Amino acid sequence: MKYILTLAAAFALTLGTSFAGCGKIDTDKGKLKAVNAEKKQITIDVDGKDVTRTLTPSSKGADELDKLVGKKIVVQSSHGKVESVAKG
């Protein structure tokens, strides 16, 4: 009986941690101030504050960032990593 309860408890713990993803998406709307290709970072002016986000190979819309410097953009990120960039 202890064996079955131990297996059930272990299964419940592993199942619970597999669904524990954060899923939090931050949205920054502002003017793109700078693109640092060396560090793979962008700097956005959001309501007078500079916000730095890191680009990843899977960031959507990141290939045209040099053309958007000085223009308004919308950046969606998760844990500081850019998910997507859109003109806006």
Side-chain angles (χ1 to χ4, degrees):
M1 185 66 172
K2 288 181 184 179
Y3 181 72
I4 294 172
L5 288 175
T6 304
L7 282 177
F11 181 71
L13 287 174
T14 58
L15 185 62
T17 57
S18 66
F19 292 111
C22 175
K24 181 180 178 191
I25 300 288
D26 294 320
T27 302
D28 299 310
K29 296 179 183 181
K31 187 190 290 187
L32 180 63
K33 288 182 74 173
V35 178
N36 188 336
E38 191 174 295
K39 291 184 177 181
K40 298 181 181 176
Q41 292 180 337
I42 59 173
T43 305
I44 312 154
D45 181 15
V46 179
D47 296 329
K49 292 184 179 180
D50 287 347
V51 176
T52 303
R53 299 285 182 236
T54 305
L55 297 168
T56 63
S58 63
S59 298
K60 296 178 183 175
D63 52 343
E64 300 177 4
L65 284 175
D66 292 334
K67 299 175 188 175
L68 297 175
V69 174
K71 296 183 181 174
K72 293 191 180 248
I73 62 170
V74 178
V75 177
Q76 291 186 339
S77 60
S78 175
H79 301 285
K81 309 273 186 201
V82 175
E83 299 285 329
S84 67
V85 179
K87 189 176 180 181

